Amino acid sequence: MARVPFIGRLFWREYIALFGSFVLIFLESFIRIVTLGLPGPVIRWFYNRSKNAFNFLSSPQGRLSRARNGSISASIAQAHDFVDICAFYGYYAEEHVVQTGDGYLLGLHRLGWKRGEEGMVVNGGNGSIRKKVVYLHHGLMMNSEVWVCLTEKERCLPFMLVDQGYDVWLGNNRGNKYSKKSTRHSPLSTDFWNFSIDEFAFHDIPDSIDYILDTTSSTSLSYIGFSQGTAQAFASLSIHPPLNEKVDVFIALAPAMSPAGIAHGVVNALIKSSPNVIYLAFGRRSILSSATMWQSLLYPPIFVRIIDFSLSGLFGWKSQNISVHQKLAAYPHLYSFTSTKSVVHWFQIIRNNCFQLYDDDVQPPTLFSTSDRYYKVAKFPTRNIKTPIVLLYGGSDSLIDINVMLKELPRHTTAKEIPHFEHLDFLWAQNVDKLVFPHVFSALEEFAGRDHAKDQRFMRVAHRNRLLLGAQADSTEPSEDDALSNQDSETLRGNGNGDSYRSSSSQLPIKVSGSSGLSSSSTTVRARSPLPDFKDPPLFPGFPNLPQRREDRSDSLSSSVSADRGIRKVSDVGIAIGAGKATLGGVSTVKGDGSNAEEKKGRGRTGKKRRVGF
């Protein structure tokens, strides 16, 4: 279908979708105005009628299940704030306020005490209990409550971290429930809401981290982000080089950098349209603030169904890994305020397929526009990040394109796929404690409290990752660096008890798809295979409490590696991949510069076993 002349960006059908979205926005605004004028008894009448209608249409089993498990869900859903939810599970939470450089007052929450430690001083100077510091940050249109609004303590990451002896802090973005205050602007003014991801990266994240380190007298902390919370860390670490020395490891849950398009036609039309169209539809203050109105009007199970329907239509998520009772507890805490400008910023990133700063000079989208030849908004230089990065992403998450993301990240990045997980599963899935937490704990075990810039072990691993698996390489004698890499790669698998697995003598093919100096065709290189059957390892070997899942293993493995980047991805048999060579079990080395590939035996040690890797 042809585009509209002189406008060029949208198709005719997308204009129809855009018109439909304006009709829906107008209808919702009308309902909201009417609702604000209704007395309380009338609103309660509508609520009770929706409740009766839902229960009448529900099955007897559904009504019985809600009655049996509804007490915990209702208690979490009706909790007023973060402190109330933590108190429900017996944890003491502190509230802090940090002022950013541009005058915003951000709320921080602290969980520093196990149950029974409430009277003790943690990270308070001489004589206090010293603990490693972990900082968690939420996603788009959320607040810190999303980390703790779970129906079981064992599935709550902050509580588990506290029980393992960490000093846990949780941040909040400007404008949300806990940070709707500024020393310079009123929340009623448009100036207050004039912020995007740029301000999160330049002020909110670094200022929050500095406050936490000053308060705890610590030199570094570990950062765990979810969704937009990972994007804010990518941006902050890339534009603040000193911040890399203050973050010892960055763990990204459901990482977001340059998301793929959104399935819904209306939203796609908004993404492609001018920012002025979005500002016209939603205003220049907070976006979708009417969500709180619908939550108060609708019976909770109906509200859950509407959220599920919206997530399915927008992103194709089925939300089958999250129980109904968890949804009833968590969805009331899902939404929090943010600016329309921050959503416009995401639309720019998706439209341009580039993790960039906010574009204040968007040109009119005409067929004859050539402004991109003379003006280009700056990208966040994410390849400059020095902090170790661990990506945990879902295999069914439509917002994640891991290959695109890895190309924009430094070579020491490690990625791990959680099969069948969607975006919100990393917060609330039924088995999140078994599939996600062990990888988080093992990364913290390896990096928390370390100076990665001076850590020789990390430097060796980073050096190994820079040696990309090459095809058509010249045959040469292994150098001292080769021996070091073989030594470090001698043992790549761990069973969680300090034992290691070595590769057997049989062979398996490794398939390498090359570019940037390598042959574009796939080349098969012979390497030694692992043991034929053993338990699935952690992302970082050596951590004892990892899920033990047994899988059928074949005698061969195919692994596609992008040759123009040295990104290390964790494969099912623990192959370390970098720029120039790959080592598997310390017994096979392949070196390459783009021609005449030849396999050479490595010179790894055969005596004492070592656990190597992150």
Side-chain angles (χ1 to χ4, degrees):
M1 184 181 295
R3 288 183 169 88
V4 180
F6 301 107
I7 297 178
R9 178 173 287 169
L10 302 182
F11 292 104
W12 282 107
R13 61 187 177 190
E14 292 169 332
Y15 275 99
I16 296 174
L18 191 63
F19 175 77
S21 68
F22 273 94
V23 173
L24 293 175
I25 293 169
F26 174 79
L27 180 62
E28 185 197 36
S29 300
F30 175 76
I31 295 175
R32 186 182 184 190
I33 293 172
V34 172
T35 303
L36 290 175
L38 292 176
V42 176
I43 295 177
R44 286 193 295 272
W45 183 88
F46 278 109
Y47 178 88
N48 291 330
R49 296 290 77 76
S50 66
K51 175 180 178 180
N52 294 337
F54 184 86
N55 287 330
F56 176 78
L57 297 174
S58 298
S59 64
Q61 294 83 0
R63 291 195 294 269
L64 180 62
S65 177
R66 286 194 299 274
R68 182 173 60 251
N69 301 307
S71 59
I72 295 179
S73 299
S75 299
I76 299 299
Q78 295 170 10
H80 289 93
D81 56 20
F82 181 91
V83 175
D84 283 352
I85 300 175
C86 295
F88 178 82
Y89 284 108
Y91 289 88
Y92 172 73
E94 275 188 355
E95 296 182 281
H96 294 253
V97 177
V98 55
Q99 180 173 338
T100 66
D102 56 349
Y104 284 80
L105 304 179
L106 311 180
L108 294 177
H109 293 112
R110 183 187 190 186
L111 293 168
W113 299 264
K114 301 178 185 178
R115 285 179 290 186
E117 290 184 344
E118 289 79 6
M120 301 180 181
V121 179
V122 174
N123 289 339
N126 295 331
S128 64
I129 302 174
R130 295 303 304 172
K131 295 184 178 182
K132 298 176 182 178
V133 181
V134 178
Y135 175 60
L136 291 84
H137 205 90
H138 59 79
L140 176 65
M141 291 191 286
M142 295 180 177
N143 62 55
S144 55
E145 294 173 11
V146 298
W147 293 103
V148 295
C149 58
L150 288 102
T151 55
E152 290 143 12
K153 178 178 75 72
E154 293 74 20
R155 294 188 297 112
C156 179
L157 181 58
F159 295 161
M160 293 298 97
L161 290 171
V162 171
D163 288 346
Q164 291 206 11
Y166 292 95
D167 187 359
V168 181
W169 293 72
L170 301 96
N172 287 283
N173 284 340
R174 61 182 63 196
N176 78 3
K177 176 179 178 178
Y178 297 101
S179 306
K180 204 173 181 180
K181 182 73 174 177
S182 170
T183 60
R184 302 178 185 179
H185 309 292
S186 166
L188 300 177
S189 68
T190 56
D191 289 335
F192 178 90
W193 299 99
N194 186 27
F195 60 81
S196 65
I197 300 174
D198 294 359
E199 283 69 33
F200 298 151
F202 279 98
H203 297 289
D204 291 11
I205 296 299
D207 291 345
S208 296
I209 289 176
D210 286 342
Y211 176 89
I212 294 170
L213 295 180
D214 290 342
T215 303
T216 60
S217 302
S218 301
T219 57
S220 67
L221 55 75
S222 304
Y223 185 102
I224 302 175
F226 168 75
S227 190
Q228 181 180 280
T230 68
Q232 295 174 209
F234 286 132
S236 294
L237 291 170
S238 69
I239 60 179
H240 296 288
L243 192 63
N244 289 260
E245 300 177 3
K246 302 175 183 179
V247 179
D248 45 47
V249 64
F250 169 27
I251 303 172
L253 306 179
M257 179 181 289
S258 182
I262 297 178
H264 200 278
V266 172
V267 181
N268 262 336
L270 289 172
I271 290 174
K272 296 178 181 178
S273 62
S274 168
N276 290 329
V277 175
I278 303 172
Y279 288 130
L280 178 63
F282 298 101
R284 290 185 176 269
R285 295 186 176 91
S286 62
I287 190 170
L288 298 179
S289 55
S290 59
T292 55
M293 175 198 72
W294 292 109
Q295 182 177 333
S296 62
L297 286 177
L298 298 174
Y299 182 49
I302 297 178
F303 182 72
V304 166
R305 295 287 180 89
I306 293 176
I307 296 296
D308 281 344
F309 177 78
S310 301
L311 295 176
S312 177
L314 288 173
F315 310 111
W317 301 339
K318 305 304 180 184
S319 302
Q320 295 177 345
N321 296 324
I322 306 175
S323 68
V324 174
H325 302 293
Q326 178 59 65
K327 294 175 184 177
L328 288 170
Y331 282 4
H333 301 278
L334 176 60
Y335 173 81
S336 196
F337 301 102
T338 192
S339 67
T340 303
K341 186 176 180 179
S342 65
V343 177
V344 170
H345 193 171
W346 273 117
F347 286 178
Q348 292 179 355
I349 291 171
I350 295 172
R351 182 171 65 243
N352 298 325
N353 195 27
C354 175
F355 189 49
Q356 63 181 40
L357 280 75
Y358 184 84
D359 188 357
D360 294 286
D361 189 25
V362 178
Q363 298 296 318
T366 66
L367 291 174
F368 313 106
S369 176
T370 58
S371 60
D372 56 342
R373 294 181 58 187
Y374 309 104
Y375 168 74
K376 182 176 178 62
V377 66
K379 293 172 57 178
F380 288 108
T382 49
R383 293 182 184 178
N384 298 339
I385 298 175
K386 300 298 187 295
T387 296
I389 301 173
V390 180
L391 306 180
L392 300 175
Y393 64 99
S396 300
D397 190 348
S398 60
L399 292 181
I400 305 298
D401 189 335
I402 193 63
N403 294 322
V404 172
M405 186 176 298
L406 290 177
K407 291 180 180 179
E408 298 301 324
L409 292 174
R411 296 176 177 178
H412 56 259
T413 299
T414 301
K416 174 66 178 179
E417 178 182 344
I418 308 299
H420 312 300
F421 255 45
E422 296 174 341
H423 209 68
L424 293 176
D425 293 344
F426 286 87
L427 291 175
W428 303 321
Q430 291 175 286
N431 52 358
V432 66
D433 56 326
K434 298 178 177 63
L435 299 182
V436 176
F437 290 6
H439 298 301
V440 174
F441 298 151
S442 63
L444 292 174
E445 183 77 8
E446 290 293 329
F447 292 114
R450 291 189 177 186
D451 184 353
H452 56 81
K454 299 179 180 179
D455 193 330
Q456 295 301 314
R457 186 160 174 261
F458 171 76
M459 296 301 292
R460 288 200 301 269
V461 174
H463 169 75
R464 182 185 65 194
N465 294 338
R466 287 194 293 268
L467 304 174
L468 179 64
L469 179 63
Q472 301 177 354
D474 292 330
S475 174
T476 59
E477 288 299 319
S479 64
E480 182 180 349
D481 288 340
D482 299 337
L484 174 62
S485 181
N486 287 332
Q487 172 185 325
D488 285 348
S489 303
E490 181 179 351
T491 302
L492 293 174
R493 302 302 298 264
N495 65 357
N497 298 318
D499 298 329
S500 304
Y501 297 99
R502 302 177 68 84
S503 58
S504 67
S505 58
S506 60
Q507 302 287 318
L508 82 161
I510 301 176
K511 196 173 184 180
V512 182
S513 57
S515 63
S516 181
L518 299 180
S519 172
S520 59
S521 60
S522 296
T523 304
T524 300
V525 184
R526 307 301 298 180
R528 297 186 186 272
S529 70
L531 292 177
D533 186 21
F534 49 84
K535 296 178 180 179
D536 196 27
L539 179 60
F540 301 99
F543 190 78
N545 299 321
L546 293 171
Q548 301 297 321
R549 293 183 291 117
R550 211 168 174 81
E551 298 178 355
D552 294 330
R553 305 277 182 174
S554 63
D555 292 333
S556 65
L557 170 74
S558 295
S559 177
S560 295
V561 185
S562 176
D564 61 341
R565 295 289 301 147
I567 299 299
R568 173 176 178 263
K569 295 183 68 176
V570 174
S571 66
D572 286 340
V573 294
I575 299 178
I577 298 173
K581 68 179 177 184
T583 56
L584 177 59
V587 294
S588 181
T589 302
V590 180
K591 298 187 66 178
D593 59 359
S595 61
N596 302 325
E598 179 178 351
E599 179 180 348
K600 296 185 66 66
K601 296 291 183 180
R603 298 182 178 180
R605 297 177 182 176
T606 57
K608 181 180 177 181
K609 296 181 181 180
R610 292 182 58 194
R611 179 179 61 81
V612 177
F614 287 117

